[in-house]
Amino acid sequence: MGGQRNTSNLCDAWETSDYGGLDVERLRTRAEYYGHKAGASDKSTEALRRMLDSSIGRKIASLTHEQLFKELVNDAYKPKMHKIYSSFLRGVKVDFALNVRKSPFALKKIEQEDPGLFHQLNQAMADVAKLHPLNDNIEEVLKIFYSFDTPEVMRKRSDELGTAEVHWIDMEDGSHTGIASGTAEAASNAETTMTQLVQEYTVRAQVRALCNKTGLKIDRTERVANSLGHLAAVVDQLNDLDHPVKIALFAGRRSSDRAYLLLQTWFCAHNLKKYIGSSNIFACSHLNRILEEEGVHESKERVQQIGRLIGTHAHEVMSIVQHLMSHCDEEAGCPGKPVQVCAMLAHLLFLRANGGTQFATALSDTFGTEGFIAAALVTQVPDEFVEDIQQLYPDDRQIESGAMVFDVFTTWRLDSGDYSKYAEVVVSAWEGRCKQLTDQGGGPQGISQQRPALMHSNLKDVDHVKQVASLPERIRPTIVAFGGVADGFVPFEIQSDSSSAVDGDKSKVELELASIVMKAVQARHPQLPSQQECAAKHGDDDDLVKAQVDPRLPEEAKQRVKKWLADLFQSREVDGKRSSVVLAKAYHDITRKQILNM
């Protein structure tokens, strides 16, 4: 340990003292205090007080560690991904890799300076692998709040395969990377719970190191109170904006505390204007159970009080399909100029498994929005996909043979890059397509003539929300979704004796959140070796801030994958006839021949 001072013995007793439940009275007092410090209005701090005084608030605050850690912190898109995997990718093995993009306290540093805490993190990771992703309660929540019916094969695979365990590997630069390996569902199940755990333990590492160095103690009640005060101020700022944009809470995967996540969701549902729901199944499940205990037995009323589950699509399935079927991108293009066939294929498989063409959402930035649009505008929807939607979802919006893949989507979610730039790209492409159809006399039935809805899910702060909400209607998002905007801390004010009295000498302390992702980096099938060296993601950022490749690859291999990603990103010239043939064959091979289920 090189003489590093072990903080475990100094900090364990006080730092874990309220994991059996928060100090409700102090939580309320300190939340109001931090709310005023953050600039929240009297109305919002009063709303905090009422929430924490209510029986629902008290039940949330009194949840034990065991109760908070008995379910995965999954997002709503996960069941839809797993419906694809259990339908068409049963023979595939996948690796997810944890990437801590930025952290105030690196995992390696936690291991070296606070081995007791690192041991707790490892135990928490092992416990995650023991959790069943689905149970009767989760299925009910998905049905009530998400209109999602769990297929028998999906539940059976969930019960049998569970959640993949995460193992650390040491990188050349000395950092730690967590790897989850297993079936597509099992590896995917580890992702969002793992990122939340790392976030929470990163915060705990900071406060334990502070205690060791200065004697100042910021316990869990103080941290949650601070976050709630910050939240009240954020809600005030959002409510003050004059805009028509709907707001979804995409929190959970990077939440600083699970009890805070529940209180945050409840507070937003009852105080944030234009709020439509949350992406987090964990929060919905707990709040649904508490409302039932409170005597709210009508499911519609529980949905009204909590909001619906909101989930669209995920990059993981595009990355996985592209790694498995990368030859399709090459076949549709020419050397050095691949075409985004796999990204289109993954979108069609999503709709084939889940339905919902009326609100079909394009998540176009996995390999670059402009390249995706260039392919989607000239590539025909496979006839077998048209038949599948007609037979499986007769009440859905139907698209006739001859429509282009671009015509399928009524919503576009922009998750990276310059929002205004790519919103303009999407809307301009739609306008061009409408003109083309008009010139052709109308085109196939089922093509929407309404301007596509836009969703922005890459927001930094309230000012960023204000900026995009003020854009011209033509490119203004219909929905904004965020998590980090409504999490975090204002500066703490702590007395040296660690008491929570408002008066007296105090030290100001700041805690930071980490930026953490966990992405699919390998997809393997024993009978279909891939031409690519890993699964990957590019994103729409010029600086590749959201790009991801397998961190275990040698540097030369990483550069080859990045070159491939750059070629996909820059792809503009597409032979529509060729890409249509390749897409139709790939769709047939996966849905009819079941090549990835063997």
Side-chain angles (χ1 to χ4, degrees):
M1 293 299 168
Q4 293 283 359
R5 190 175 184 187
N6 187 330
T7 66
S8 300
N9 292 335
L10 294 173
C11 298
D12 277 345
W14 72 267
E15 197 270 330
T16 59
S17 62
D18 55 356
Y19 260 90
L22 297 162
D23 181 335
V24 179
E25 300 305 323
R26 183 158 61 90
L27 180 65
R28 184 189 68 240
T29 302
R30 297 300 283 167
E32 290 184 80
Y33 174 76
Y34 282 116
H36 287 303
K37 285 290 182 181
S41 65
D42 290 342
K43 179 180 179 181
S44 282
T45 53
E46 172 63 18
L48 276 181
R49 187 194 65 75
R50 288 198 308 272
M51 176 181 73
L52 296 173
D53 270 344
S54 70
S55 58
I56 290 174
R58 287 176 175 273
K59 282 185 176 181
I60 294 172
S62 64
L63 289 170
T64 65
H65 181 275
E66 181 182 2
Q67 290 170 316
L68 286 170
F69 283 78
K70 69 179 182 180
E71 291 180 3
L72 296 175
V73 187
N74 264 347
D75 281 335
Y77 70 82
K78 286 294 184 184
K80 291 190 174 182
M81 294 297 102
H82 299 172
K83 198 170 182 180
I84 302 172
Y85 304 152
S86 62
S87 299
F88 303 119
L89 276 72
R90 294 195 292 272
V92 175
K93 302 296 183 184
V94 173
D95 292 356
F96 273 68
L98 181 83
N99 177 20
V100 182
R101 291 170 173 162
K102 181 181 178 183
S103 176
F105 213 104
L107 291 167
K108 190 70 175 180
K109 186 178 180 181
I110 298 175
E111 181 186 35
Q112 292 173 339
E113 297 186 10
D114 196 346
L117 184 64
F118 194 72
H119 174 76
Q120 290 179 40
L121 173 59
N122 285 332
Q123 184 58 58
M125 290 163 49
D127 290 342
V128 168
K130 300 173 185 176
L131 297 177
H132 286 290
L134 290 173
N135 54 42
D136 292 345
N137 172 64
I138 295 296
E139 283 197 27
E140 179 187 16
V141 167
L142 292 173
K143 188 172 184 64
I144 292 172
F145 291 86
Y146 203 37
S147 301
F148 182 90
D149 291 314
T150 305
E152 183 178 346
V153 65
M154 178 176 159
R155 175 63 186 268
K156 181 180 179 182
R157 284 174 62 82
S158 174
D159 291 344
E160 292 176 354
L161 304 169
T163 304
E165 189 168 356
V166 177
H167 298 280
W168 297 120
I169 62 169
D170 291 322
M171 308 305 295
E172 289 185 0
D173 62 2
S175 64
H176 280 321
T177 292
I179 302 294
S181 300
T183 61
E185 303 101 301
S188 173
N189 272 320
E191 179 206 351
T192 51
T193 302
M194 185 64 188
T195 55
Q196 191 280 321
L197 276 177
V198 172
Q199 183 74 276
E200 185 162 336
Y201 276 79
T202 299
V203 172
R204 292 180 63 191
Q206 291 175 79
V207 301
R208 288 160 70 95
L210 179 71
C211 168
N212 184 53
K213 183 177 181 180
T214 68
L216 293 174
K217 299 175 182 178
I218 306 176
D219 67 9
R220 181 167 169 253
T221 296
E222 189 79 4
R223 300 196 299 268
V224 174
N226 184 303
S227 292
L228 287 171
H230 173 253
L231 173 65
V234 167
V235 167
D236 268 344
Q237 294 172 58
L238 291 171
N239 286 343
D240 286 344
L241 301 180
D242 183 17
H243 66 86
V245 179
K246 298 174 183 177
I247 298 175
L249 188 63
F250 276 19
R253 63 171 57 214
R254 301 180 191 93
S255 181
S256 56
D257 187 282
R258 296 189 186 192
Y260 171 69
L261 174 60
L262 302 182
L263 292 166
Q264 174 195 45
T265 305
W266 185 257
F267 189 80
C268 286
H270 290 265
N271 296 280
L272 179 57
K273 296 176 183 176
K274 308 292 196 307
Y275 179 81
I276 58 172
S278 164
S279 67
N280 195 254
I281 300 170
F282 171 87
C284 217
S285 171
H286 277 276
L287 293 174
N288 181 62
R289 187 183 300 113
I290 289 171
L291 282 179
E292 285 193 282
E293 292 172 357
E294 290 288 301
V296 184
H297 299 304
E298 289 292 329
S299 60
K300 288 184 179 179
E301 187 176 347
R302 297 198 300 275
V303 172
Q304 289 175 350
Q305 292 206 40
I306 299 170
R308 291 191 59 79
L309 277 169
I310 308 294
T312 57
H313 209 351
H315 299 102
E316 65 181 61
V317 68
M318 263 82 78
S319 297
I320 289 169
V321 169
Q322 203 278 330
H323 191 201
L324 293 165
M325 307 287 288
S326 59
H327 62 278
C328 295
D329 291 349
E330 279 195 354
E331 290 171 10
C334 55
K337 294 183 178 180
V339 172
Q340 291 191 33
V341 167
C342 290
M344 294 187 290
L345 173 61
H347 279 81
L348 298 185
L349 292 175
F350 177 92
L351 293 169
R352 166 65 174 74
N354 293 287
T357 53
Q358 187 67 38
F359 306 102
T361 300
L363 181 58
S364 55
D365 73 326
T366 308
F367 307 111
T369 291
E370 290 181 278
F372 181 85
I373 288 176
L377 279 170
V378 298
T379 305
Q380 286 191 12
V381 173
D383 287 343
E384 288 179 331
F385 172 79
V386 174
E387 295 169 6
D388 288 343
I389 298 301
Q390 289 173 347
Q391 293 175 10
L392 295 170
Y393 311 104
D395 296 330
D396 273 11
R397 176 174 67 103
Q398 301 298 316
I399 297 175
E400 289 189 356
S401 179
M404 300 298 167
V405 172
F406 185 90
D407 302 329
V408 172
F409 306 113
T410 60
T411 301
W412 290 72
R413 177 181 161 199
L414 304 177
D415 191 55
S416 58
D418 183 330
Y419 172 81
S420 296
K421 171 185 175 180
Y422 288 104
E424 179 63 39
V425 168
V426 170
V427 174
S428 294
W430 173 78
E431 290 170 343
R433 177 62 173 153
C434 286
K435 184 179 184 304
Q436 180 186 45
L437 291 171
T438 299
D439 293 344
Q440 293 174 354
Q445 294 294 314
I447 299 176
S448 175
Q449 296 298 310
Q450 290 186 327
R451 184 172 63 241
L454 300 173
M455 182 178 190
H456 189 358
S457 55
N458 186 33
L459 294 141
K460 301 172 183 176
D461 50 36
V462 174
D463 287 340
H464 198 184
V465 177
K466 181 179 180 180
Q467 176 189 342
V468 299
S470 302
L471 289 170
E473 181 181 1
R474 181 170 174 276
I475 60 170
R476 183 192 304 142
T478 307
I479 300 173
V480 294
F482 51 74
V485 173
D487 203 344
F489 309 100
V490 296
F492 288 83
E493 295 191 358
I494 305 297
Q495 290 187 213
S496 59
D497 63 358
S498 77
S499 71
S500 298
V502 174
D503 298 321
D505 293 334
K506 306 181 188 70
S507 296
K508 288 193 175 182
V509 177
E510 294 192 18
L511 298 180
E512 299 178 43
L513 297 181
S515 174
I516 313 158
V517 296
M518 194 169 183
K519 300 293 183 183
V521 295
Q522 290 288 337
R524 303 173 296 278
H525 189 282
Q527 299 177 29
L528 295 167
S530 175
Q531 298 178 9
Q532 282 297 102
E533 292 168 281
C534 74
K537 176 198 169 193
H538 188 288
D540 276 329
D541 297 278
D542 294 333
D543 58 2
L544 297 180
V545 68
K546 288 200 170 185
Q548 178 96 10
V549 299
D550 191 337
R552 299 167 294 182
L553 291 178
E555 187 58 34
E556 306 80 36
K558 290 180 183 177
Q559 293 306 317
R560 286 193 295 270
V561 175
K562 289 179 179 179
K563 174 63 168 61
W564 173 268
L565 288 173
D567 291 341
L568 272 178
F569 183 80
Q570 295 161 7
S571 175
R572 300 291 185 275
E573 298 176 6
V574 181
D575 181 331
K577 290 184 179 179
R578 185 188 302 172
S579 62
S580 298
V581 169
V582 174
L583 177 61
K585 182 179 186 305
Y587 185 84
H588 176 85
D589 287 347
I590 291 178
T591 62
R592 268 55 176 184
K593 295 176 70 174
Q594 301 275 308
I595 61 170
L596 298 178
N597 278 342
M598 296 184 290

